[in-house]
Structures are given as C-alpha cells and as structure tokens.
Amino acid sequence: MKILTIIGARPQFIKAAVFSKVVKKYNDIEEVIIHTGQHYDKNMSQIFFDELDIPKPKYNLHINGGSHAQQTGRMLIELEKIFLEEKPNFILVYGDTNSTLAGALAGSKIHIPIIHIEAGFRSHDKEMPEEINRICTDHMSSLLFCPTKEAVNELKKEGITQGVHFVGDIMYDAVKDFSNTQTNILEKYSLEKEKYIYCTIHRAQNTDSKEKLQNIFDALVKSDEQIIIPLHPRTRKKLEEFKLFSKYENKNILFLEPINYFESLELTKNAKKIVTDSGGVLREAYFLQKTCIVVRDSIEFVEMIKDEEGILVGSDKEKIITAIKEFKAKGEFKNYFGNATTAKQIVKVLRR
Ligand code: UD1
C-alpha cells in the first residue's frame, strides 16, 4: 500500500512524526512525504524534521505566502502532478491548513481516496479559514479519523457516517511520547516553575486587526505577570506593521523567536497558566492539566469550556486580564482523547 502524506505547517510536522514512526514498522506500507513549504523558516520547519526524526520529504514544493487562493491554487497544481506520477493508493492529510485542503481537493478530483487525521473538529465559525478547510476536507475524505466522540457527532450532523473512526487525538500520542524530553529553556530565560504565563498568538482573526492585537498585548502587559511568548512570523510581522512592537518591548513580556516542540511542551508543563489562540497548544495544556485561557470566540474542543477547564475570552482586554488573574481550571481533566495509541489504531484500520 502506498500513502502520499501532505504536510506543510508546524503542527502537521509533529503529527507526522508520530504517525510515520509507527508506519515505518510495516513493510507493506510505503509512505511518501510531500512538504508544501507553507511554513519555511528554519524554526518553523527544518528544526522539527531534525529533532522529531521525521522522514525526509521526497518533495518540497516551496509554496508559501500570497493570499489563501494563491497559496492553495499553486499547491493544487503542483500536487496533482505528483499524484499522477506517484499513483498512490491513499492521500493522507492532517488538520485544517491550506495544505490540508489542497491535498484533499487535488486528490479527490482524480479519485484517490483521502485519509483525514483530525476529522470532525468544528468551531462553527466560518470566518476562520481553518473551519472552511476542515469542512471541505471532511466532505472529500473516505477515511475519517476523529480525535473525540464529539467530532464523530459533528460529522454525523453533516451526514458523514461512512469510514468514520474514533481513534483519539494523535497530538495526545505526541505529548505522551515527548513531554518528558528535558530542555534547558527554563534556565535559559531564568524562569521559575509556576511563576510565568506561556502565551502563543498567531490566528489571523487576532493578528490581522490592529485593535484586537492591541487589546491582547495591552491585557498581557496589564496582567503584570511574567509572560513568555515565542512569536509566530505572522504575529511579528503584524506587530511591526502596526508599529506596536516598541510599545510592548522591555515590559513584562519576553519575546522569543519560534521555539522547538520539546521547549514548547516544557514551557506548557511548568507554566502557571497558558494564554493561547492555538488549537494545538490548548489541547496540550489540557493533556498536561494546565489552566488555559483561550483568546478566541469559538473553539473546536468544546468539552474543555463546558467542563470549566478552560475559558473563552475572545480578544476582549478586560476579560483577558480578569481570566489571567482569577480563572483556574476545575482540575478534573476528563479523558476525551483516547489512550494515546491513535497512530497505531489508524495503521491497524489502514492495513485491514
Ligand atoms: C497556518 C494554518 C493554521 C495553523 C498554523 C500553525 C492555514 C489557513 N492556517 O496558519 O491552521 O494553526 O499554520 O502555525 O493554513 N510565515 C513566515 N515564516 C514561516 C511561516 C509563515 O514568515 O515559516 C509567514 C507567511 O509568509 C505568512 C504568515 O506567516 O505571511 C502566515 O503564514 P500562513 O501560511 O498563512 O499560516 P499560519 O498563520 O501559520
């Protein structure tokens, strides 16, 4: 069986590391990796391949930047050529990025079955490019691997019941595999356990509006906590473009370049609280049983909010400040994500 895996953005490298490690054990599966190039800075891409031991992609399309249509369109054209040449049995895509959508669309149009890992997540906010990518990808997929039972339900509501499997979250496998890897990030920045807030902000809805970006960073400053934030290239670019960077420098916020996965897990594990708009970081916070403040208006992992293990604050300055000061996770952290054997279960289904 030959699988063509499409990856392109940071969270997909992490998921691919876990899945490819399991696939490598089986001689009857050949996996060919295509990197679209969506993320390309060394700290956003190569570092993950080096440190997580991901097989070298056979193709790198170097497609990045531009509008959504330009990025996705260029990917479609290049991916189709490779699909026709490689003639895989399956195309495998992860999550909700433009690379996910391009892989699913190019493949399904030439009748190659699509495997979607992380199927069924919904935020019900179509303003998010990711939500459009998820919905379209799920409707084009033949095998849909869901991280939660809620995700299975969401698919059912949209009439998708064939080929759907609840296998748990592959990000949970990754956290179990890698969260005990020691790094020196705490010493490097003189951080004390449980005394800092780990923050990540990168979603277009937050970064592309000056007002929202200002609300978020004003709140971080006003919180008077020690904040550590590795800056996504988009966020850095926007802070500079809006001439906001100097306003927040030399305050209580420590700005870093993007960090590696082990460092991110270590910062999460030891933080007092997490403030994020990332769907990956908020789940990692949950797996590591941390209080999480979600700087978004909607969320795919609704269970976290219902159970009061996390709080949705949007980009409202006062709500962010109050949550940083007062909100604390209830602390039960029920298990919605399976038992960290997601990659194994997916491979089992594929071989069957
Ligand atoms: C993408 C995904 C999002 C995922 C996120 C993880 C889509 C629509 N969104 O958003 O679901 O959570 O990745 O990070 O696919 N850039 C650099 N260097 C890099 C990478 C990006 O400068 O290494 C720049 C790009 O040129 C662009 C901006 O950052 O201007 C945003 O990149 P983009 O590819 O749109 O994706 P993300 O915002 O990272």
Side-chain angles (χ1 to χ4, degrees):
M1 167 178 25
K2 183 170 176 178
I3 300 176
L4 276 197
T5 297
I6 321 292
I7 51 181
R10 192 164 53 168
Q12 292 162 338
F13 308 142
I14 297 160
K15 292 164 196 165
V18 178
F19 182 73
S20 300
K21 196 164 91 186
V22 175
V23 162
K24 264 194 264 177
K25 294 185 187 148
Y26 296 93
N27 294 330
D28 54 352
I29 309 181
E30 180 196 357
E31 188 189 25
V32 174
I33 296 181
I34 305 175
H35 186 338
T36 60
Q38 183 172 346
H39 285 176
Y40 50 92
D41 288 348
K42 187 169 184 292
N43 286 352
M44 297 283 285
S45 174
Q46 191 54 44
I47 195 170
F48 291 89
F49 284 84
D50 296 343
E51 294 187 342
L52 300 177
D53 201 21
I54 305 166
K56 196 173 163 13
K58 184 167 172 187
Y59 303 90
N60 189 326
L61 307 180
H62 299 289
I63 296 171
N64 47 63
S67 67
H68 286 284
Q70 285 164 348
Q71 195 178 69
T72 314
R74 286 160 62 212
M75 287 177 190
L76 283 172
I77 295 167
E78 296 308 315
L79 287 171
E80 185 186 57
K81 289 183 206 159
I82 300 172
F83 295 173
L84 290 171
E85 199 179 302
E86 291 278 351
K87 299 187 178 57
N89 302 98
F90 292 101
I91 308 269
L92 186 151
V93 293
Y94 293 100
D96 58 16
T97 71
N98 289 339
S99 303
T100 313
L101 175 67
L105 186 52
S108 59
K109 285 287 180 87
I110 50 175
H111 312 299
I112 305 170
I114 309 298
I115 302 167
H116 187 202
I117 298 185
E118 212 175 276
F121 261 159
R122 295 290 182 270
S123 65
H124 300 282
D125 175 4
K126 285 194 184 153
E127 295 277 304
M128 291 175 69
E130 291 85 355
E131 181 76 352
I132 306 286
N133 293 346
R134 290 180 198 122
I135 296 171
C136 295
T137 301
D138 283 336
H139 283 262
M140 292 185 278
S141 296
S142 304
L143 280 172
L144 301 98
F145 292 105
C146 296
T148 60
K149 295 207 169 123
E150 181 68 22
V152 175
N153 266 336
E154 293 284 3
L155 291 178
K156 203 167 159 194
K157 283 192 235 162
E158 292 172 24
I160 306 176
T161 51
Q162 293 280 313
V164 176
H165 300 264
F166 165 64
V167 287
D169 190 353
I170 198 157
M171 294 283 280
Y172 189 34
D173 294 27
V175 167
K176 286 271 174 194
D177 276 2
F178 299 121
S179 64
N180 288 323
T181 310
Q182 287 281 321
T183 78
N184 66 354
I185 187 122
L186 298 187
E187 297 81 46
K188 196 166 162 189
Y189 297 106
S190 308
L191 298 168
E192 273 184 71
K193 289 184 181 178
E194 307 285 333
K195 296 237 165 101
Y196 64 88
I197 307 272
Y198 177 40
C199 177
T200 79
I201 299 291
H202 81 280
R203 294 266 170 206
Q205 303 105 291
N206 285 328
T207 59
D208 292 2
S209 145
K210 182 175 179 185
E211 195 193 336
K212 286 186 179 177
L213 209 52
Q214 222 166 347
N215 280 345
I216 297 166
F217 280 88
D218 279 349
L220 294 176
V221 169
K222 279 262 168 64
S223 75
D224 223 16
E225 295 278 354
Q226 182 172 19
I227 313 279
I228 180 157
I229 172 163
L231 275 187
H232 184 286
R234 179 208 289 277
T235 316
R236 179 177 289 280
K237 207 155 44 187
K238 289 291 175 181
L239 282 171
E240 279 163 5
E241 195 181 304
F242 297 141
K243 308 214 179 326
L244 288 174
F245 207 45
S246 50
K247 182 175 170 195
Y248 301 115
E249 259 181 333
N250 307 317
K251 294 262 176 12
N252 57 330
I253 308 176
L254 177 60
F255 290 103
L256 305 182
E257 289 301 311
I259 53 178
N260 71 34
Y261 181 55
F262 304 131
E263 291 169 330
S264 184
L265 286 183
E266 182 120 41
L267 284 183
T268 307
K269 204 166 63 177
N270 294 299
K272 182 170 166 187
K273 290 178 187 178
I274 315 294
V275 176
T276 190
D277 63 3
S278 154
V281 174
L282 70 86
R283 265 139 65 210
E284 284 161 359
Y286 188 88
F287 303 147
L288 295 166
Q289 311 204 334
K290 288 287 165 175
T291 295
C292 189
I293 297 155
V294 183
V295 187
R296 280 169 52 183
D297 298 316
S298 60
I299 189 169
E300 305 77 36
F301 178 30
V302 280
E303 298 90 328
M304 180 184 194
I305 307 301
K306 279 190 202 145
D307 291 355
E308 295 170 41
E309 305 297 7
I311 184 167
L312 275 183
V313 291
S315 53
D316 183 310
K317 188 164 130 188
E318 294 309 319
K319 279 192 189 164
I320 301 173
I321 298 172
T322 310
I324 293 178
K325 284 194 193 313
E326 294 171 12
F327 179 74
K328 205 165 173 340
K330 205 165 171 196
E332 289 174 5
F333 295 101
K334 292 182 200 151
N335 182 1
Y336 296 104
F337 288 102
N339 52 8
T341 57
T342 300
K344 278 189 199 143
Q345 291 183 59
I346 294 172
V347 169
K348 202 164 151 191
V349 173
L350 295 180
R351 294 184 77 232
R352 198 165 62 212

